[in-house]
Amino acid sequence: MPLLFSMDTSLKDDTHSSHSQISEKKDVAYLEEVQSGGGQIHNDRIDPEVAKYASAKAIYIDQDTNKRLKRMIDKRVLLVMCVTYFLQSLDKATLSFSAIMGIQKDTGLVGQQYAWLSTCIYIGILFVEYPMNYIIQRVPIGKFLGFCIFCWAAVLCFHALCKNFVSLLVVRTLLGIFESACQPSFLVLSSMWYTKAENAMIITVSFSTIMLWFMMNGLQQIFGGLLAYAFTNITSGPLKSWQWLFLAYGIISVAWAVFVIWYLPDSPMRAKCFSEDDKKLMVERVRSNQTGLQNKKFRMDQAIEAFKDPQIYCYGLFQLFTTLPQSSIGAFANIIINGLGFSVLNTQLLAMVLGALIMGFPLSSAYLVRKYNQTIWTMIGFLIPSMIGTIVLMTVANTSASTRAGLLVAYYVILSFWGASTLTLTLLSKNVGGQTKKSIAVAINFFCWAAGNAIGPQVMQSKDAPRYFTGFAVHMGCYVCAIITLVFLRFHFVRQNKKKQAFLDSRENEVDKDLVHSFDDLTDRQNPNFMYIY
């Protein structure tokens, strides 16, 4: 029987002593036997649906076939992820566009009430994040995602009926609850359908799957700016311009939800749109990930490992430190630009530049990762311009047309942190194995993401307008903490890889050259052949 690597806290006998090379004294390794045989894999660690389509050993897929399969997957999966994330970003950003279209006056918002309308979305997400992740792991993901899109689209339409702060607070919270299914679903879909390389960087002329749907934030800023500009010109009729904006986006999203339910496959194994032979090859495509494909069984050992693994907390902390300034800038983008002295219509147009930058920075970071194969150093590099831009906004007063232009450029430069934040989920998807462990890692990641988004708007106090000195000071602290977190994470990965390599060098029979155990529900620590990518 092949031997697979796992972790424990005790040493049973002398045969386990060699594992001290790969773990700390308090986290000693033991070997676990897993049986595999015949043409199919018979192992309780493999999901039954996956076992029907996975071969006992890796199957070679030639380059032309792989490209054909990827094109088929892109048309069915990547298309849905990109458009859905674009609509979600557009729906969520509608409040920012409507902020200078009269919604605050028409609904009687005062003080920090506007900021609370952004915060309440993420408070709702905080409460439902783990239940949502638990559900996503156990239901037909395509149908469930379509259902959630339909619900948040309906809620968006109801925004047009709101007359006061309380009604807006209710619909914004509901919007957050239903939208909380979006990113976790995409992370699962990306891991299920795409290889690590495709999830991590630019391959030939194709962009990373995760990077692409994150870039939809930028596209929505451009598209949303154009639509907001058009709707701002509506000055008469039964509805205000901001009410038309919410209704238009909501109706479009409802139609898209129906399409997703019909079009998006739940998994490679359940994809009726593909032939049986192609489904088997699609499963084989992701074998090299060594993170499993699907498993609905909850494993307590993986849950315990997740809460003991430093990398899980690093992902969460980095999300917190980048989404806090991100949400501040997102919610107050048009207000800040307008505060520099630009008109309402010009502000809507200038905000479109933000979209181009939000798309450009992730593309640049993905290119650098591909060229130099250094993800974490690249992330740190994209945080430094954000610090410089923030210092300029905090120290330079808006006294003339030239300083106004300079401050606008500095504000644009701050967005360079998008190049770092979009790489966070690629690190998580590449470096966390085991379905239970991954679900917990994703839940912690998005819990911190929601916390950062909830706190962000609150640091931009209305009394500090238009410069928001306190808010930008908090942003500076976040960038510094994010860099410290990344340096520690890289050190952790380097050390763990050295330990694993030492273990494999001493036990050549443990090297899984045929990737026999790639679909076993093993964590990154339990699998000695799993190497961290950083």
Side-chain angles (χ1 to χ4, degrees), residues 336-407:
I336 293 172
I337 295 175
N338 187 237
L340 292 176
F342 297 98
S343 68
V344 172
L345 289 175
N346 285 338
T347 297
Q348 301 282 30
L349 295 176
L350 288 171
M352 293 169 58
V353 180
L354 300 178
L357 293 173
I358 291 172
M359 296 179 69
F361 286 128
L363 283 175
S364 301
S365 64
Y367 171 78
L368 291 174
V369 167
R370 181 199 178 198
K371 184 174 182 179
Y372 298 107
N373 198 28
Q374 292 290 337
T375 304
I376 290 180
W377 288 134
T378 301
M379 294 169 74
I380 292 173
F382 274 81
L383 289 172
I384 294 174
S386 296
M387 298 174 69
I388 296 173
T390 301
I391 291 172
V392 172
L393 287 177
M394 293 174 65
T395 56
V396 178
N398 185 11
T399 57
S400 63
S402 58
T403 55
R404 182 191 310 167
L407 289 170

Side-chain angles (χ1 to χ4, degrees), residues 175-476:
L175 187 68
I177 289 173
F178 292 119
E179 287 189 350
S180 66
C182 192
Q183 286 93 334
S185 296
F186 290 172
L187 196 59
V188 172
L189 287 169
S190 294
S191 299
M192 183 183 292
W193 291 93
Y194 290 95
T195 66
K196 277 186 179 182
E198 291 162 351
N199 275 325
M201 62 189 72
I202 301 173
I203 302 298
T204 314
V205 295
S206 300
F207 298 114
S208 141
T209 56
I210 292 177
M211 198 69 68
L212 271 173
W213 53 263
F214 255 116
M215 283 172 54
M216 294 303 103
N217 282 290
L219 186 60
Q220 71 80 16
Q221 189 74 34
I222 298 173
F223 186 76
L226 284 172
L227 280 179
Y229 180 86
F231 281 108
T232 300
N233 287 284
I234 299 176
T235 56
S236 61
L239 297 177
K240 303 287 186 179
S241 58
W242 61 267
Q243 290 176 308
W244 281 116
L245 196 65
F246 281 112
L247 277 176
Y249 291 172
I251 292 171
I252 292 172
S253 298
V254 166
W256 179 251
V258 175
F259 177 79
V260 169
I261 292 172
W262 167 72
Y263 191 73
L264 178 64
D266 295 311
S267 70
M269 297 76 69
R270 294 188 178 188
K272 296 180 180 179
C273 52
F274 302 137
S275 69
E276 289 297 303
D277 289 339
D278 281 343
K279 286 194 284 187
K280 291 178 180 179
L281 292 175
M282 287 174 182
V283 169
E284 286 299 317
R285 255 174 46 86
V286 298
R287 179 186 286 271
S288 61
N289 289 353
Q290 297 204 66
T291 56
L293 192 150
Q294 170 182 287
N295 200 295
K296 300 177 182 179
K297 183 177 181 179
F298 180 86
R299 299 186 187 278
M300 182 57 69
D301 61 322
Q302 292 192 14
I304 294 172
E305 182 182 312
F307 287 109
K308 290 183 177 180
D309 194 341
Q311 69 162 319
I312 307 302
Y313 297 103
C314 287
Y315 298 138
L317 287 173
F318 188 79
Q319 280 285 20
L320 177 65
F321 296 141
T322 54
T323 53
L324 194 155
Q326 176 183 315
S327 63
S328 299
I329 292 173
F332 285 81
N334 290 353
I335 292 176
I336 293 172
I337 295 175
N338 187 237
L340 292 176
F342 297 98
S343 68
V344 172
L345 289 175
N346 285 338
T347 297
Q348 301 282 30
L349 295 176
L350 288 171
M352 293 169 58
V353 180
L354 300 178
L357 293 173
I358 291 172
M359 296 179 69
F361 286 128
L363 283 175
S364 301
S365 64
Y367 171 78
L368 291 174
V369 167
R370 181 199 178 198
K371 184 174 182 179
Y372 298 107
N373 198 28
Q374 292 290 337
T375 304
I376 290 180
W377 288 134
T378 301
M379 294 169 74
I380 292 173
F382 274 81
L383 289 172
I384 294 174
S386 296
M387 298 174 69
I388 296 173
T390 301
I391 291 172
V392 172
L393 287 177
M394 293 174 65
T395 56
V396 178
N398 185 11
T399 57
S400 63
S402 58
T403 55
R404 182 191 310 167
L407 289 170
L408 182 63
V409 171
Y411 183 68
Y412 288 154
V413 169
I414 288 177
L415 294 176
S416 68
F417 68 79
W418 272 96
S421 62
T422 51
L423 292 173
T424 312
L425 289 182
T426 66
L427 277 178
L428 190 157
S429 65
K430 290 185 293 183
N431 291 321
V432 179
Q435 295 305 307
T436 300
K437 181 178 181 180
K438 181 171 286 188
S439 69
I440 293 174
V442 171
I444 292 175
N445 183 79
F446 284 111
F447 182 90
C448 294
W449 172 83
N453 277 294
I455 298 168
Q458 298 303 318
V459 304
M460 309 297 275
Q461 296 288 315
S462 57
K463 61 183 177 63
D464 295 330
R467 295 188 65 183
Y468 297 102
F469 185 88
T470 302
F472 285 118
V474 173
H475 291 186
M476 275 295 296

Side-chain angles (χ1 to χ4, degrees), residues 135 168 423:
I135 293 170
L168 281 172
L423 292 173

Side-chain angles (χ1 to χ4, degrees), residues 19-230:
H19 290 218
S20 60
Q21 300 177 65
I22 194 169
S23 60
E24 301 295 336
K25 291 181 180 179
K26 62 182 179 180
D27 193 22
V28 183
Y30 69 87
L31 292 175
E32 176 186 38
E33 294 185 350
V34 180
Q35 185 172 7
S36 172
Q40 294 293 327
I41 301 172
H42 302 287
N43 185 342
D44 66 353
R45 283 189 172 272
I46 300 179
D47 182 82
E49 285 188 350
V50 177
K52 292 178 181 179
Y53 288 90
S55 62
K57 296 182 179 180
I59 295 176
Y60 173 74
I61 301 177
D62 64 83
Q63 189 175 8
D64 290 338
T65 301
N66 189 56
K67 288 181 178 179
R68 178 180 65 83
L69 295 172
K70 186 177 181 298
R71 284 195 298 268
M72 294 167 63
I73 295 169
D74 287 345
K75 291 177 182 178
R76 284 278 173 173
V77 181
L78 186 58
L79 171 67
V80 169
M81 288 198 294
C82 288
V83 176
T84 301
Y85 198 75
F86 167 75
L87 289 175
Q88 188 213 24
S89 301
L90 190 65
D91 295 348
K92 199 176 294 179
T94 305
L95 183 67
S96 177
F97 288 116
S98 65
I100 56 175
M101 294 171 68
I103 189 173
Q104 297 186 70
K105 179 181 178 181
D106 294 338
T107 56
L109 299 181
V110 295
Q112 285 295 106
Q113 287 183 337
Y114 172 78
W116 275 107
L117 294 182
S118 293
T119 295
C120 68
I121 286 182
Y122 301 101
I123 291 177
I125 293 175
L126 283 171
F127 280 102
V128 302
E129 191 57 54
Y130 187 75
M132 190 66 73
N133 275 273
Y134 184 86
I135 293 170
I136 288 170
Q137 294 285 341
R138 287 160 177 79
V139 299
I141 192 169
K143 309 298 184 296
F144 183 71
L145 179 62
F147 168 77
C148 289
I149 296 172
F150 182 88
C151 290
W152 91 51
V155 168
L156 195 68
C157 291
F158 289 139
H159 280 59
L161 302 176
C162 295
K163 302 295 183 182
N164 51 49
F165 171 68
V166 174
S167 57
L168 281 172
L169 194 70
V170 171
V171 294
R172 297 299 288 176
T173 303
L174 289 173
L175 187 68
I177 289 173
F178 292 119
E179 287 189 350
S180 66
C182 192
Q183 286 93 334
S185 296
F186 290 172
L187 196 59
V188 172
L189 287 169
S190 294
S191 299
M192 183 183 292
W193 291 93
Y194 290 95
T195 66
K196 277 186 179 182
E198 291 162 351
N199 275 325
M201 62 189 72
I202 301 173
I203 302 298
T204 314
V205 295
S206 300
F207 298 114
S208 141
T209 56
I210 292 177
M211 198 69 68
L212 271 173
W213 53 263
F214 255 116
M215 283 172 54
M216 294 303 103
N217 282 290
L219 186 60
Q220 71 80 16
Q221 189 74 34
I222 298 173
F223 186 76
L226 284 172
L227 280 179
Y229 180 86

